[in-house]
Amino acid sequence: SFCTLLVSECMARGRGRPSTKRRPATRSTGALASAGGADAPVDANAWMLDVDTTVPITQETLRRVYRLDRRCVATVGSHKGKLCADSPDCLVGFYNKPRRHDVVTQSIGRSAPQAVATRDVATEGAGMRNCGNTCYLNAVTQMLARCPRLLRSLLGSKEAAADEEGVANADKFHIPAVFANLLRSQRASVDPLPMIEALKLDVSVQQDAQEYLSLFLSLLSDGSRPMNDAIVRDFNGNLLYSRKCGECGAVTKKTDRFLFMTVPTTPNADVADCIRDSLKPEETTGASCETCEKTDVTISTTVAIKSVPPYLVVHLLRFQYDVARGQRKKVADPIKIGRTFPVSAISGDESDKRWYRIRAVVDHLGHTPTNGHYVASCVPLTGERADDANGVGPDDWHRHDDATTKIVKPFSEKDPMSFTSKDAYMVLYELVQEPTGAVGGPPMAPEEHRPALVAAVSEADESTAAAAKAYNDLKAIREKEVDAWFELCDEVFAGSLANTNRGKAASATLTDVAALDDYASEQRYFVSENWLKAFAKGAFMGEDADAARRIANTDLVCSHGAYVDPARPFRTLTKPLWDRLRAAQGVDRTLPTATAMCDRCSMRLIEEKKSGDAALDAWRQLQAKIRAGVTPQRVVVAVDDSDDEKEAAADDSDDDERVPDQFIAATVHDSILDQDRPPPPEEAVLIDLTAPLVCPHQGILPDVTRKPISAEAFDGLLAHGYTCATHFPTPADEKDYGSAVCHTCLSERQSAIQQVNTVKALKFAVLRDLKDRLLDH
């Protein structure tokens, strides 16, 4: 009987522990929803019995716990469409529909098979991957790939069989493999990294395309005699230099070979004109003649083309030295790039009926020689076509911008024979018998290639095809998942306003009792806000989708077990939305709003809010006391040299104005008033209230802004954690604000000012005297 009476008494006082199992039927939310007024107390037995129930649980308390006293601002003014930070049942701002391609790519992931771009070898050109600053190498390689005779020397089996040493040397630098892949590989871009590593090129530095061309051709020439013969045969031309003495009339001739021609640019001229201008006669004075042995004679020099190469590379001299600026500059003269021009136009031999026909143009895109980008515009690798049966017309070129290749039409209907360019840097022409004749001959057949190269390209193509198939199969699967995800997101987030009880009246707060019925009758369910954000971005698709896509509410659970901490970021969903989302994604834990909110965490949250409100009120009162200080004083102290008495100048104050008790730095004063909330103790302790005022002599720096506050406000700042290493109490006389200023620093400052003024006066006198002398002169 005694135990029964004791238990009954404890139950009445709300101090017993009848059961550790929560009883949903007696939850406070349900009890409050069925209660009468908004302030009706709740039965204490409905809460966990170790909670302090001396504070009555009201409907207003539950509104604060569920944040139902906050208004939804996602549809109001400047907040329209943004994520609502207050309302737990608002889903506006979570979902911004992304592009389908981006979501599919994201769902595939980096660890999965990556996209392998392929091409139709018959009609599409291949690009080259940029390994850093290797655009110059890519452009020059694409240009040289339009030299069929050179390709036959590099890749052909006859030349390889004739000279094994040359083959080994070429293989060493991976040159044949790169060109073979450009011609035959199904990949849309070729990797030049093996060639770069073999050549030991620095990919972090931009190089000149013409210098690399010279290096590349020299490398091939030095490899072996057959390759040297091929380079000489395809690119070697000869210039004839004639020097005539102005005194004795003796003429000396000399022949010099060239692999490419460097010519200056002439505005609006064509390539042939630029070549002719570079061959104009020149006269040199003060020279010596070997025939008459005189040392101060005039020598006339003429240059003529003795023989032309099958492949003529014209290097336009775009980069010139600017004497005025002391640096190189780019000359952007417009140059006409002709489709063809006769050999006689540059050689002067009218009997030569051959023509040069264009094959490729290397452009330098940029304004300076040190910065820019090289691209190559070339005829297709299979040669110019007479028709467009394969999708490539006679005027369609391939523009290679590193790995990207696209079709361009350099020649227009208005001018089908030439086009103008300010960026053309090198132009490749091939020697033909007729201006309209075919160039390069038929493309190389696979049997003409060396067997090792054919095998290597075939192996790479098989790997490419397998990778492309694996990627496309995975992409098809991911696209179906993404389409289903789009449909689910449209259903969950498109009617986001229907998820909230506020609807269009989003600016109004919830005060009616019926609003809690939805939360108390298990018609709404908790869901993690972090999980919703990730789901709205399509994060739960891919290899780990099955494990990660489930609705994860673990971060909502408090330390007391299977209950929700109201301080955690959560949203609530209506039952139809919850059922739809759970069926599609799965769930690791279902948390109904009627039974899952933790009572103890709810009471703790309410107490924290109350204590926080009290601390905020105390901080605002302290800020008001700080603002009550006098007007900020700009300390300017004058020194009287006659009697060394120091006086402070300050604004006059009214007789009834309260005299402040402490000076603090103006910067600290303003930062304190700008803070909406008190700073954390670990941050406040790092701030010294008077440190910006202190001089090396532990006084106040002269000409510094300081602000006075009352002793009560000063003590309040110290109580909030602020520090003060040096105190500067205000004087008894409210007008003597300058007494705390360091007079040593003040004297030094005024002495420095006097010295500066003396120097200024002296300089002015000197300049005035100089002016008078100049006027007299």
Side-chain angles (χ1 to χ4, degrees):
S1 300
F2 175 76
C3 291
T4 303
L5 179 62
L6 181 59
V7 171
S8 301
E9 181 67 14
C10 290
M11 291 287 292
R13 295 186 180 182
R15 293 291 184 264
R17 293 180 181 269
S19 175
T20 59
K21 183 178 180 181
R22 181 166 293 199
R23 296 172 293 174
T26 60
R27 286 286 295 171
S28 58
T29 311
L32 282 176
S34 60
D39 295 326
V42 181
D43 181 11
N45 294 331
W47 291 81
M48 296 299 291
L49 296 179
D50 60 346
V51 177
D52 184 6
T53 56
T54 56
V55 180
I57 308 297
T58 64
Q59 290 187 3
E60 185 61 30
T61 300
L62 272 191
R63 287 193 187 94
R64 297 192 67 178
V65 170
Y66 282 104
R67 303 201 303 266
L68 298 180
D69 59 334
R70 309 284 186 89
R71 69 176 186 171
C72 175
V73 297
T75 58
V76 180
S78 61
H79 297 277
K80 189 172 183 180
K82 297 181 180 179
L83 184 66
C84 182
D86 292 329
S87 175
D89 54 358
C90 178
L91 301 182
V92 174
F94 275 91
Y95 176 63
N96 295 317
K97 193 170 184 177
R99 295 191 308 171
R100 183 173 182 267
H101 172 75
D102 295 341
V103 182
V104 171
T105 304
Q106 173 185 316
S107 66
I108 292 176
R110 294 184 178 180
S111 60
Q114 296 301 299
V116 179
T118 59
R119 62 170 177 140
D120 182 357
V121 179
T123 59
E124 298 177 0
M128 298 181 67
R129 186 172 68 90
N130 194 320
C131 300
N133 290 311
T134 60
C135 59
Y136 65 94
L137 179 143
N138 296 345
V140 171
T141 304
Q142 294 284 3
M143 179 183 71
L144 293 178
R146 271 62 182 182
C147 302
R149 296 176 59 168
L150 175 65
L151 295 182
R152 283 183 168 81
S153 300
L154 280 173
L155 311 179
S157 57
K158 294 182 179 180
E159 287 79 356
D163 184 23
E164 294 297 334
E165 180 184 356
V167 175
N169 183 273
D171 285 340
K172 177 182 177 181
F173 294 102
H174 303 274
I175 296 173
V178 171
F179 284 96
N181 282 308
L182 283 176
L183 287 177
R184 296 298 175 188
S185 176
Q186 295 180 1
R187 283 182 175 267
S189 63
V190 176
D191 188 3
L193 186 60
M195 177 190 293
I196 294 172
E197 293 177 346
L199 291 172
K200 298 181 180 180
L201 299 176
D202 187 356
V203 298
S204 64
V205 180
Q206 175 73 286
Q207 304 291 345
D208 185 84
Q210 174 266 328
E211 293 177 358
Y212 173 73
L213 174 64
S214 177
L215 170 68
F216 186 83
L217 295 180
S218 299
L219 173 68
L220 294 182
S221 300
D222 297 338
S224 63
R225 183 173 180 179
M227 284 304 306
N228 178 72
D229 293 343
I231 297 300
V232 171
R233 177 197 65 198
D234 294 338
F235 293 93
N236 185 67
N238 292 288
L239 295 176
L240 179 62
Y241 291 87
S242 300
R243 302 175 74 249
K244 182 178 181 180
C245 177
E247 293 292 331
C248 65
V251 178
T252 59
K253 296 184 178 181
K254 179 183 178 181
T255 302
D256 193 9
R257 72 173 227 172
F258 65 89
L259 295 177
F260 53 85
M261 296 191 68
T262 299
V263 299
T265 59
T266 303
N268 299 316
D270 59 23
V271 175
D273 292 336
C274 293
I275 295 176
R276 283 196 301 269
D277 291 342
S278 68
L279 302 178
K280 288 182 178 180
E282 295 181 356
E283 288 188 355
T284 305
T285 59
S288 59
C289 178
E290 297 179 356
T291 302
C292 61
E293 298 182 352
K294 293 184 179 180
T295 57
D296 189 12
V297 297
T298 300
I299 300 294
S300 300
T301 304
T302 59
V303 184
I305 297 179
K306 185 177 181 180
S307 62
V308 294
Y311 294 108
L312 176 64
V313 179
V314 182
H315 168 223
L316 299 173
L317 197 59
R318 293 284 186 186
F319 305 147
Q320 300 179 8
Y321 186 76
D322 189 348
V323 179
R325 296 184 178 182
Q327 61 184 7
R328 292 202 307 165
K329 66 177 181 179
K330 180 179 178 180
V331 180
D333 291 337
I335 301 297
K336 293 182 65 176
I337 310 298
R339 186 191 294 269
T340 60
F341 66 85
V343 174
S344 58
I346 59 175
S347 66
D349 185 3
E350 298 297 335
S351 63
D352 194 339
K353 303 301 183 181
R354 294 174 298 174
W355 290 72
Y356 271 120
R357 191 171 186 184
I358 194 167
R359 295 289 292 170
V361 178
V362 174
D363 294 329
H364 177 271
L365 309 179
H367 301 288
T368 64
T370 56
N371 295 305
H373 181 62
Y374 289 101
V375 298
S377 300
C378 317
V379 298
L381 282 170
T382 52
E384 294 185 351
R385 302 178 183 277
D387 53 48
D388 55 353
N390 292 316
V392 179
D395 291 331
D396 291 341
W397 283 23
H398 288 162
R399 184 175 179 86
H400 301 284
D401 186 353
D402 290 333
T404 303
T405 301
K406 63 179 182 180
I407 301 296
V408 295
K409 292 180 178 296
F411 301 101
S412 63
E413 295 181 358
K414 183 178 180 180
D415 188 359
M417 297 305 297
S418 65
F419 63 92
T420 303
S421 173
K422 294 183 179 181
D423 298 315
Y425 189 62
M426 289 193 297
V427 187
L428 173 66
Y429 284 93
E430 184 176 11
L431 191 65
V432 293
Q433 297 298 325
E434 298 291 340
T436 58
V439 292
M444 291 184 66
E447 56 271 13
E448 296 183 78
H449 293 180
R450 284 182 291 178
L453 292 177
V454 175
V457 173
S458 300
E459 182 180 353
D461 286 345
E462 292 177 0
S463 175
T464 299
K469 183 179 184 303
Y471 177 82
N472 293 331
D473 293 344
L474 180 61
K475 182 180 179 182
I477 296 174
R478 296 291 179 255
E479 285 177 345
K480 293 182 179 179
E481 294 180 356
V482 170
D483 292 338
W485 174 78
F486 273 122
E487 182 180 353
L488 180 60
C489 286
D490 291 340
E491 186 174 348
V492 172
F493 296 106
S496 54
L497 285 181
N499 185 60
T500 174
N501 291 320
R502 276 157 262 200
K504 293 184 179 181
S507 60
T509 58
L510 270 173
T511 56
D512 56 308
V513 178
L516 289 174
D517 287 338
D518 203 15
Y519 284 81
S521 59
E522 297 191 2
Q523 293 299 313
R524 300 191 76 86
Y525 295 85
F526 289 107
V527 63
S528 169
E529 184 175 296
N530 295 328
W531 184 91
L532 263 183
K533 290 179 180 178
F535 169 75
K537 293 180 180 179
F540 304 130
M541 288 178 289
E543 291 183 348
D544 301 329
D546 295 338
R549 72 193 315 164
R550 297 170 63 87
I551 302 175
N553 287 327
T554 307
D555 58 338
L556 298 183
V557 178
C558 68
S559 59
H560 304 116
Y563 307 123
V564 175
D565 186 347
R568 306 287 177 88
F570 67 86
R571 297 284 160 158
T572 62
L573 298 179
T574 59
K575 184 174 177 54
L577 288 182
W578 171 261
D579 291 341
R580 178 70 178 90
L581 201 59
R582 180 182 61 180
Q585 300 293 122
V587 63
D588 62 358
R589 184 171 300 182
T590 300
L591 299 173
T593 58
T595 59
M597 182 69 78
C598 181
D599 303 323
R600 285 175 285 182
C601 292
S602 300
M603 293 302 298
R604 185 202 70 222
L605 180 65
I606 295 299
E607 293 301 324
E608 289 178 355
K609 288 184 177 181
K610 288 182 179 179
S611 62
D613 293 343
L616 183 60
D617 292 340
W619 176 255
R620 290 174 178 173
Q621 292 177 6
L622 177 60
Q623 287 179 321
K625 293 177 182 179
I626 295 174
R627 288 191 183 95
V630 298
T631 305
Q633 299 298 316
R634 182 79 171 178
V635 179
V636 180
V637 181
V639 177
D640 190 354
D641 294 334
S642 60
D643 53 4
D644 292 334
E645 294 181 358
K646 303 170 180 62
E647 300 178 355
D651 295 337
D652 295 337
S653 303
D654 298 336
D655 295 337
D656 57 348
E657 185 179 20
R658 175 177 53 79
V659 178
D661 298 304
Q662 183 71 34
F663 283 123
I664 66 173
T667 54
V668 179
H669 181 281
D670 296 338
S671 65
I672 292 173
L673 296 183
D674 291 339
Q675 296 182 17
D676 295 333
R677 296 182 177 276
E682 60 273 11
E683 296 181 8
V685 74
L686 302 176
I687 302 176
D688 193 317
L689 297 173
T690 58
L693 303 177
V694 182
C695 75
H697 312 99
Q698 299 303 308
I700 296 181
L701 289 168
D703 198 17
V704 67
T705 303
R706 57 184 178 173
K707 292 188 178 181
I709 61 174
S710 64
E712 183 181 2
F714 186 80
D715 293 338
L717 291 176
L718 295 180
H720 275 84
Y722 289 92
T723 59
C724 182
T726 307
H727 291 260
F728 294 112
T730 59
D733 185 1
E734 62 182 23
K735 296 184 180 181
D736 191 17
Y737 291 134
S739 61
V741 174
C742 178
H743 297 286
T744 302
C745 294
L746 183 63
S747 299
E748 294 176 354
R749 176 179 175 276
Q750 291 187 344
S751 298
I753 293 176
Q754 290 177 359
Q755 293 178 1
V756 171
N757 292 336
T758 302
V759 172
K760 288 183 177 179
L762 181 61
K763 291 174 66 177
F764 177 77
V766 171
L767 292 175
R768 185 171 183 179
D769 181 63
L770 179 61
K771 177 182 178 181
D772 294 340
R773 292 184 181 183
L774 290 174
L775 291 176
D776 293 342
H777 179 69

